[in-house]
């Protein structure tokens, strides 16, 4: 069943785009049901009127579709449209927050001039992916920071995916997986060019655990999906 998120900035009301989607895309009629999510949780509602559009709450939905834990993806900005894909799939996999990082090898950059417009587009992707995947909360994405600022984001466990690590580091991450339920976990993923040695040392000095994701070299977006899926499975 279709789900819609009601946001504070819209006074927790359906937007014109939401209503258009309900009536023109989903082709719903009077007495049809859909779901809404507001600050009080998720609810099943029923359409009472088309013009003007109105609905009433039928019941609260007592379910939890969120992970048993908190995943924060610290993602060094990639080039092209990869970022849109990573945001969408991160929502589907249960990530709670993405922090975008301007690293030394990031080809694309987000600065104060283009940040607002990009965050607006990212918010739309997050909303649509959250509705499709039946999330109970919207993933947070409102920070773009420099690499040195990764020290601000505290967590119970922090991992940095580094392709030069040995097989022993693959085994190392497995030893943590059975204890991540209910924990806050940081994942640090580099851009296409990877991390500089200086960046790796900085991450290590700030408590990040170096880990390999296997024998093959993964694209940055694939590394995101691989590590998030692993953590999501064990948090579930």
């Amino acid at each position: 069943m279709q789900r819609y998120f009601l946001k504070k900035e819209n006074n927790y009301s359906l937007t014109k785009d939401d209503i258009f989607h309900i009536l023109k895309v989903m082709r719903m009629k009077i007495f049809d049901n859909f779901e809404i999510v507001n600050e009080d949780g998720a609810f099943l509602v029923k359409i009472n009127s088309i013009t003007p559009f109105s609905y009433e709450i039928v019941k609260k939905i007592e379910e939890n579709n969120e992970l048993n834990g908190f995943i924060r993806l610290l993602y060094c900005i990639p080039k092209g449209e990869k970022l849109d894909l990573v945001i969408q799939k991160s929502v589907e996999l249960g990530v709670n927050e993405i922090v975008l990082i301007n690293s030394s090898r990031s080809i694309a950059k987000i600065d104060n001039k283009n940040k607002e417009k990009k965050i607006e587009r990212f918010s739309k992707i997050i909303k649509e992916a959250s509705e499709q995947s039946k999330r109970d909360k919207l993933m947070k994405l409102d920070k773009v920071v420099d690499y040195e600022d990764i020290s601000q984001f505290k967590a119970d466990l922090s991992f940095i995916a580094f392709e030069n690590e040995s097989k022993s580091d693959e085994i190392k991450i497995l030893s943590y997986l059975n204890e991540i339920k209910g924990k806050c976990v940081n994942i640090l993923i580099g851009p296409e060019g990877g991390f500089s040695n200086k960046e790796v040392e900085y991450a290590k000095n700030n408590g990040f655990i170096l880990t390999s994701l296997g024998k093959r070299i993964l694209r940055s977006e694939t590394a995101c999906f691989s590590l998030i899926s692993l953590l999501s499975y064990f948090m579930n």
Side-chain angles (χ1 to χ4, degrees), residues 77-78 80 83-84 87 100 102 108-126 141-142 144:
I77 300 169
L83 182 52
D84 289 3
I87 292 170
L100 300 178
N102 287 313
K109 301 285 184 180
I110 297 178
D111 55 29
N112 289 331
K113 293 180 180 178
N114 60 4
K115 176 182 173 182
E116 186 175 341
K117 187 174 182 180
K118 287 184 178 293
I119 293 294
E120 183 179 344
R121 189 178 88 248
F122 298 154
S123 296
K124 184 176 181 181
I125 294 171
I126 291 168
L141 196 172
D142 58 12
V144 182

Side-chain angles (χ1 to χ4, degrees), residues 163-228:
E163 68 274 12
N164 290 339
E165 286 309 288
S166 65
K167 191 172 182 180
S168 64
D169 292 283
E170 299 172 41
I171 298 170
K172 187 190 298 182
I173 190 174
L174 294 177
S175 66
Y176 292 99
L177 293 178
N178 286 323
E179 58 182 69
I180 64 171
K181 280 189 176 181
K183 300 285 183 66
C184 177
V185 181
N186 283 337
I187 307 169
L188 177 56
I189 305 289
E192 293 85 351
F195 297 105
S196 68
N197 291 332
K198 183 178 178 181
E199 287 172 334
V200 172
E201 286 303 311
Y202 184 80
K204 287 172 62 179
N205 292 337
N206 281 279
F208 282 79
I209 302 164
L210 273 63
T211 183
S212 167
L213 295 178
K215 298 177 181 179
R216 293 166 298 281
I217 303 299
L218 305 181
R219 293 177 182 269
S220 71
E221 67 272 28
T222 310
C224 290
F225 306 148
S226 177
L227 193 45
I228 292 168

Side-chain angles (χ1 to χ4, degrees), residues 62-157:
E62 301 293 348
E63 63 183 22
N64 181 9
N65 295 327
E66 297 298 307
L67 298 178
N68 184 4
F70 188 100
I71 298 177
R72 179 186 292 116
L73 172 61
L74 304 169
Y75 190 33
C76 298
I77 300 169
K79 63 182 179 181
E81 298 179 356
K82 295 176 182 179
L83 182 52
D84 289 3
L85 179 65
V86 168
I87 292 170
Q88 181 190 67
K89 300 309 175 187
S90 293
V91 171
E92 294 177 28
L93 290 169
V95 171
N96 303 91
E97 181 180 12
I98 293 181
V99 177
L100 300 178
I101 300 171
N102 287 313
S103 66
S104 64
R105 295 181 179 174
S106 291
I107 297 173
K109 301 285 184 180
I110 297 178
D111 55 29
N112 289 331
K113 293 180 180 178
N114 60 4
K115 176 182 173 182
E116 186 175 341
K117 187 174 182 180
K118 287 184 178 293
I119 293 294
E120 183 179 344
R121 189 178 88 248
F122 298 154
S123 296
K124 184 176 181 181
I125 294 171
I126 291 168
K127 181 176 182 291
E128 291 175 352
S130 299
E131 291 168 349
Q132 178 272 318
S133 59
K134 294 295 186 79
R135 289 287 299 265
D136 298 323
K137 297 178 181 178
L138 289 171
M139 185 183 75
K140 184 179 179 181
L141 196 172
D142 58 12
K143 293 184 178 70
V144 182
V145 303
D146 293 327
Y147 189 85
E148 293 74 18
D149 295 322
I150 63 172
S151 59
Q152 299 177 7
F153 302 96
K154 306 303 181 184
D156 297 303
L157 287 166

